[in-house]
């Protein structure tokens, strides 16, 4: 995998893969419980208009970030892609 964060857009990021595949990463809305999370951990992954996953610290007592893959079945992107993108987003936020 070789995703890269292409640019900052509309409150989020555009992640791009060399084959032209795009995933948009948007900051989640400031609603409970996301309002109490650290800034880098409240993001949503969008792929072709579908919610592909979330980067969150919800439901973890140790406040560790976790990536939740929400597509019904594996597509052109998978959990590994979201993990790589999440790492890039975390680096870009620091």
């Amino acid at each position: 995998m070789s995703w890269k964060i292409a640019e900052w857009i509309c409150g989020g990021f555009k992640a791009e893969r060399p084959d032209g595949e795009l995933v948009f990463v948007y900051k989640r809305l400031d609603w409970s419980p996301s309002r109490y999370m650290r800034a880098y951990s409240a993001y949503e992954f969008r792929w072709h208009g579908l919610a592909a996953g979330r980067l969150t610290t919800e439901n973890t007592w140790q406040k560790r970030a976790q990536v939740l893959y929400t597509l019904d079945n594996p597509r052109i992107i998978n959990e590994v892609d979201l993990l790589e993108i999440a790492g890039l987003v975390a680096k870009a936020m620091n």
Side-chain angles (χ1 to χ4, degrees), residues 37-52:
M37 293 184 231
R38 292 178 283 177
Y40 78 88
S41 62
Y43 284 87
E44 182 175 284
F45 302 94
R46 305 288 293 179
W47 174 75
H48 293 276
L50 300 172

Side-chain angles (χ1 to χ4, degrees), residues 49-82:
L50 300 172
R54 289 189 310 245
L55 174 62
T56 182
T57 58
E58 294 174 30
N59 300 323
T60 59
W61 63 275
Q62 294 180 336
K63 298 293 184 196
R64 287 184 292 192
Q66 62 182 196
V67 176
L68 176 64
Y69 184 73
T70 58
L71 289 175
D72 292 340
N73 50 28
R75 310 274 177 115
I76 296 172
I77 63 167
N78 56 33
E79 294 97 339
V80 176
D81 293 318
L82 295 186

